[in-house]
Amino acid sequence: MTTTLLKAGTPAPDFSLLSTPDQKVSLSEFLGTPVVLVFYPADWSPVCGDQLGLYNELLPEFSEFKAQIIGISVDGVWCHLAFSKDRKYHFPLLADFEPKGAVARLYGAYNEKAGESERALFVIDTTGIIRWSYLSPVGVNPGADGILKALASIAEVKP
């Protein structure tokens, strides 16, 4: 069965996933803040490491929009903690581990054949509505241009 990536204008499904063995992060905690959801196939893979490393370097640019970056894959919480510590990431990596890929499935970002998340991006506005989504080929780092353009388009216009 092929899933379809959720599109702009769709309410972002809420979820609660482990960020540490005893702490969960819920999307609803970020209402009032733009959120960038980064679904990626696997910790320790070269393209995923490069992609998340880029976002880590661009945190100052994302913070100009007061945006929160959240990484999600089907890896377990211990794998995420080791990967995040090794790479010195400064944003949460959430474990969509059991039931495997449940959140990725909600967003149409789960690859049944591979048993992992697709490389998919979502920009969610302050009210919880998806304003931009993008599915990248699994072997291609999608970069940050699309994310930054989407964040700029939803930024409040200040007088």
Side-chain angles (χ1 to χ4, degrees), residues 33-36 59 61-69 147 151:
T33 303
V35 173
V36 179
L59 284 175
E61 284 84 350
F62 294 135
S63 69
E64 289 177 20
F65 298 104
K66 296 180 176 40
Q68 173 66 49
I69 306 293
I147 295 170
L151 288 170

Side-chain angles (χ1 to χ4, degrees), residues 83-145:
F83 183 55
S84 185
K85 182 179 179 184
D86 180 74
R87 303 298 174 97
K88 298 177 177 54
Y89 294 147
H90 298 286
F91 54 87
L93 299 181
L94 305 183
D96 194 9
F97 187 65
E98 283 299 330
K100 188 176 184 184
V103 174
R105 291 173 209 269
L106 286 175
Y107 283 80
Y110 188 73
N111 181 325
E112 292 282 346
K113 195 171 192 176
E116 58 194 23
S117 299
E118 296 280 4
R119 192 173 309 285
L121 300 169
F122 296 87
V123 173
I124 301 166
D125 71 14
T126 57
T127 66
I129 303 297
I130 295 169
R131 293 297 169 198
W132 179 79
S133 63
Y134 178 73
L135 180 63
S136 178
V138 73
V140 176
N141 180 342
D145 290 347

